[in-house]
Amino acid sequence: MSDPYASRTAVHEQRVDGFGTFRVLPLDAERDAGVLHRWVSEERAAFWGMNGLTREQVAGIYAHMDTLDTHHALLLVRDGEPAALLQTYEPDADRVGECYEVRPGDLGIHLLLAPAGADGARPGWTSALIAVITAYVFGTLGRTRIVIDPDVRNDKAIARFVKQGFTAGPEVVLPEIDLPDVYLPEKRAQLAFLDREVAFPG
């Protein structure tokens, strides 16, 4: 089967034993809108905040993000199959920056996993994805700390990151944002952090 993503230039590529080759691609808002719309429309993605949006609305959100220097959307593809949506952002250009002391070298991320395939969830799958993401953030981008801010009710996501070495920080309230191009309701979030030295000791 041909790889529909083969012609796209990756910003990071990594082979993970037992899982195949992962490529991190800059998101194409229009071309990838169908995949993203399916993912964010599922009940499990309720905390992503896009349930009920049309494909065109999802495409519009990511087209707007593509105009920003501080926020980026990336598609993780494993052997030609989309595996996850990764969003990165500069914390001091985001509402989370109002809720903790931002350090030089910090990078915020949001991660949405693709739904499990017909065979169900694979043991170690999340660890493989996070290994690729940490290699990209700490290696390719040269950052020193990852910041996450999942909804406090999203127990699965919080547990997933803590299992991968993240240290839980404070619970905070991210303020509402109401701008012409973006609306985000107030959010109670659990901050957590991963230092480069923890992810890559020695």
Side-chain angles (χ1 to χ4, degrees):
M1 187 177 73
S2 63
D3 178 353
Y5 300 94
S7 64
R8 291 165 63 173
T9 302
V11 293
H12 179 79
E13 188 168 324
Q14 184 175 340
R15 180 160 185 79
V16 179
D17 287 347
F19 290 95
T21 299
F22 291 83
R23 301 174 72 227
V24 181
L25 310 175
L27 191 76
D28 184 317
E30 183 53 43
R31 204 187 312 185
D32 297 327
V35 168
L36 296 186
H37 181 248
R38 285 198 303 276
W39 293 358
V40 303
S41 297
E42 294 185 348
E43 183 56 37
R44 68 182 185 90
F47 293 117
W48 204 256
M50 294 188 188
N51 280 177
L53 297 189
T54 65
R55 179 192 182 282
E56 289 68 31
Q57 287 172 319
V58 171
I61 287 168
Y62 287 102
H64 170 70
M65 188 179 294
D66 197 39
T67 68
L68 305 177
D69 294 329
T70 54
H71 293 63
H72 301 282
L74 304 128
L75 190 67
L76 273 71
V77 175
R78 194 269 308 208
D79 294 339
E81 288 289 326
L85 169 64
L86 172 66
Q87 291 177 200
T88 66
Y89 61 91
E90 301 295 340
D92 57 5
D94 189 270
R95 60 182 178 166
V96 75
E98 300 177 33
C99 300
Y100 86 102
E101 190 172 338
V102 180
R103 289 186 201 162
D106 280 0
L107 188 70
I109 70 166
H110 299 300
L111 178 65
L112 178 64
L113 304 182
D119 297 332
R122 292 182 62 185
W125 175 247
T126 302
S127 297
L129 280 171
I130 292 179
V132 173
I133 291 165
T134 54
Y136 169 62
V137 172
F138 294 137
T140 304
L141 298 181
R143 297 306 186 101
T144 54
R145 188 168 69 156
I146 295 174
V147 182
I148 60 167
D149 63 348
D151 190 295
V152 292
R153 297 166 297 170
N154 195 350
D155 299 329
K156 281 187 177 179
I158 295 166
R160 181 187 298 142
F161 282 108
V162 169
K163 186 179 177 184
Q164 299 303 318
F166 282 73
T167 300
E171 281 189 18
V172 298
V173 177
L174 304 185
E176 177 187 60
I177 292 178
D178 192 0
L179 300 172
D181 290 321
V182 61
Y183 172 75
L184 295 170
E186 183 180 273
K187 171 183 164 184
R188 185 170 290 280
Q190 171 66 63
L191 298 187
F193 305 91
L194 180 67
D195 289 291
R196 183 163 60 190
E197 294 75 18
V198 174
F200 297 102

